[in-house]
Every structure is written in structure tokens, then in C-alpha cells.
Amino acid sequence: MTLNRFDLVFILMDKPDEELDCKLSEHVMALHGGGKRQKTETATPRSTQSSVLDQSRMLWNEDKPLSEKFKFAAGETYDPIPPQLLTKYVGYARKYVHSKISHEAAKILQDFYLELRKRQSTHDTTPITTRQLESLIRLTEARARLELREHATEQDAKDVIDIMKVSMYSTFSDEFGFLDYQRSQHGSGMSQKNQAKKLIAALTRVSEQTYNALFTVQQMRQITKDCNIYVRDFEDFIDSLNNQGFLLKKGPRAYQLQTTNF
């Protein structure tokens, strides 16, 4: 999944997770049952001791990664926003709120950018440019706009840096922890000079020319050969692209490209 305006890339992997799998299965069952997801029981009135524990828990949560902060604990109550209301809320924020970053937020973003530049200068990796800095600024402003605030704070900048780190280091870091944008994005963890991206681009071109997004394994093998794309195990390579959502298996030896509208 790619968010182009913010230069964010996230590799979506379907990893077994008992808690998440349980929640997802409940959601799917509720959809097919024609009802709504069951909410957990409303909390009972809490004592003063419980309030103190809640405050301690909040302080502890501040040090947790952003991804962990967004996870619901078992039995935690929540009230999801209806999609229609969320759409109106985002539309209102985009039209009427024009956030600007504060000096404190700008300093945090600048320090992070300079640290990336420093690492790039000492290792043979793809250069970090002002494009990444501009993306950080846009993300920070969007983070404040989400809460209808005119000024982006220091915490907004820290949250954005957490998001950028997840995108950069999980997608492009090599086995030594250095950024390498030439790494493949098909989830193997091996540096293959972006072979996955080259194949998807080639398949997209063919799909646009033929108005057909369905490819057999033999067709993709030939396109790979024609484009001088080298992979050690072609079958595993295609399976990986299928697992990542670039391809969708439509038969024993056929896949549909998911990056086109055909």
C-alpha cells in the first residue's frame, strides 16, 4: 500500500495473529449475520484507586510505539465512528482547517531529517532529499488538521516520525539497519534491486495496452525474461506478490494484477 502524497510505503502481510484473527472473524460474522459488531460491556463506575491506575497507565503508554497505542486491549470499550460521519468530518477538516507547524515541531522534523542525511552520507544508500522533509511537514500538518487544530505541535511531529520510521525501516532497511531503496518490496527480506517493482510496472504496461489484467504464470515468466528481471525462484516470487496483494490468484496457473482497473 502506498500513500503517494506523503511518500509512505507499507508492506501489508497476512501474518497469523490470534487476537487480530479473532476480531476479524467476529467482524466478518457480524457482517454476514446482518447485525452490528458486539460491543463490550460498558464500564462500571470506577473508584479513586482505579483513576490513579488509569493515570499511571496513560503515562506508561506514552512511551509505547504509535502502532501499539492504537491497539485495543482485550475487553476495552470503543465506539467506532460511522463511515458517513467520518467522510463529512474529513471533508470539513480539509476545507476549513489549514494547519501550520510550530517552531518546536519544525525543530524535531529538522533533526530527524538531518539524522537521515547523516546516515546516508556514511553508507552507500539511496540519497535522502528534501522530498522526505516536505513529506514530514505535510504529514505533521495533516496530523493537526485531523483534530481541527490550526497549529501542529511537538507531539504531532513525534507521531509523524514514528509513522515514517515504520514505513522506511520496515520496507527499505537492509540486514544492517541501513536504508536501501533498491530493496525489493515483495516481502522476502532480500535485496534484489527492486525486481518486484520492475515486474509490477511491466505487467501494468501490458495490462494498459491489452485492457486485460489477467496473466498466466507462463505469460509472467516470459515478461520477466523479456525485462531482464532475475529472481532465484520464480514460483516463490509470484506467490510472494500474491501474498502482498499485488496479484490475486484466479486459478491454478492464473493471476489478476491488482494495480489496474481492468
Side-chain angles (χ1 to χ4, degrees):
M1 177 179 68
T2 305
L3 301 179
N4 291 325
R5 176 167 170 74
F6 301 118
D7 289 337
L8 295 177
V9 178
F10 297 99
I11 294 180
L12 304 180
M13 300 186 67
D14 186 14
K15 295 182 178 179
D17 185 299
E18 184 175 356
E19 183 179 355
L20 292 178
D21 290 344
C22 181
K23 292 179 179 179
L24 179 59
S25 63
E26 289 177 355
H27 175 69
V28 173
M29 293 299 294
L31 290 177
H32 285 273
K36 298 181 179 179
R37 287 186 63 179
Q38 293 182 350
K39 298 180 182 179
T40 54
E41 297 180 0
T42 51
T44 56
R46 289 180 273 184
S47 62
T48 303
Q49 183 178 4
S50 298
S51 299
V52 174
L53 290 175
D54 287 344
Q55 292 178 1
S56 300
R57 189 179 294 110
M58 289 177 62
L59 292 175
W60 178 75
N61 285 337
E62 289 181 358
D63 296 328
K64 294 170 64 177
L66 191 63
S67 58
E68 293 296 325
K69 293 179 182 178
F70 290 148
K71 289 184 178 179
F72 288 105
E76 183 177 355
T77 59
Y78 65 97
D79 186 16
I81 301 175
Q84 298 85 351
L85 177 59
L86 182 60
T87 300
K88 292 181 179 179
Y89 182 92
V90 172
Y92 177 89
R94 294 181 64 179
K95 184 175 182 179
Y96 295 106
V97 183
H98 307 285
S99 305
K100 299 297 181 182
I101 62 173
S102 63
H103 292 296
E104 295 79 10
K107 182 64 167 59
I108 290 177
L109 297 181
Q110 183 182 27
D111 289 344
F112 177 67
Y113 168 74
L114 293 177
E115 178 62 25
L116 291 178
R117 290 282 294 178
K118 182 178 179 181
R119 293 190 183 187
Q120 176 257 313
S121 65
T122 55
H123 301 284
D124 186 17
T125 61
T126 300
I128 299 295
T129 68
T130 53
R131 171 170 176 158
Q132 279 74 34
L133 180 59
E134 291 171 350
S135 297
L136 289 168
I137 294 173
R138 287 195 294 268
L139 276 168
T140 304
E141 292 174 347
R143 175 70 181 86
R145 189 180 299 118
L146 183 64
E147 297 183 356
L148 307 182
R149 290 185 280 107
E150 293 290 345
H151 299 283
T153 65
E154 182 178 344
Q155 187 58 50
D156 292 327
K158 291 180 179 179
D159 288 345
V160 164
I161 288 175
D162 282 346
I163 295 173
M164 186 65 76
K165 283 181 177 179
V166 172
S167 172
M168 287 180 139
Y169 292 111
S170 66
T171 308
F172 300 114
S173 62
D174 61 17
E175 59 270 28
F176 303 107
F178 303 130
L179 291 179
D180 179 7
Y181 288 101
Q182 298 304 312
R183 293 173 61 81
S184 67
Q185 300 180 25
H186 67 274
S188 68
M190 301 296 291
S191 179
Q192 298 187 24
K193 297 183 178 180
N194 221 4
Q195 305 294 34
K197 183 177 180 180
K198 290 173 62 177
L199 177 58
I200 294 301
L203 293 176
T204 301
R205 288 195 297 270
V206 174
S207 177
E208 291 174 347
Q209 293 171 359
T210 62
Y211 297 96
N212 182 16
L214 195 65
F215 294 90
T216 65
V217 173
Q218 185 59 36
Q219 286 176 315
M220 290 189 289
R221 191 186 295 273
Q222 184 61 46
I223 293 173
T224 301
K225 182 179 180 180
D226 294 341
C227 295
N228 296 319
I229 300 173
Y230 170 76
V231 292
R232 295 180 180 179
D233 190 317
F234 183 78
E235 298 289 343
D236 286 347
F237 183 62
I238 296 301
D239 285 342
S240 179
L241 293 176
N242 177 69
N243 292 335
Q244 295 304 315
F246 294 108
L247 300 174
L248 177 63
K249 193 169 185 178
K250 302 293 286 186
R253 306 287 292 175
Y255 292 83
Q256 182 177 345
L257 183 64
Q258 296 298 288
T259 57
T260 66
N261 296 322
F262 305 121

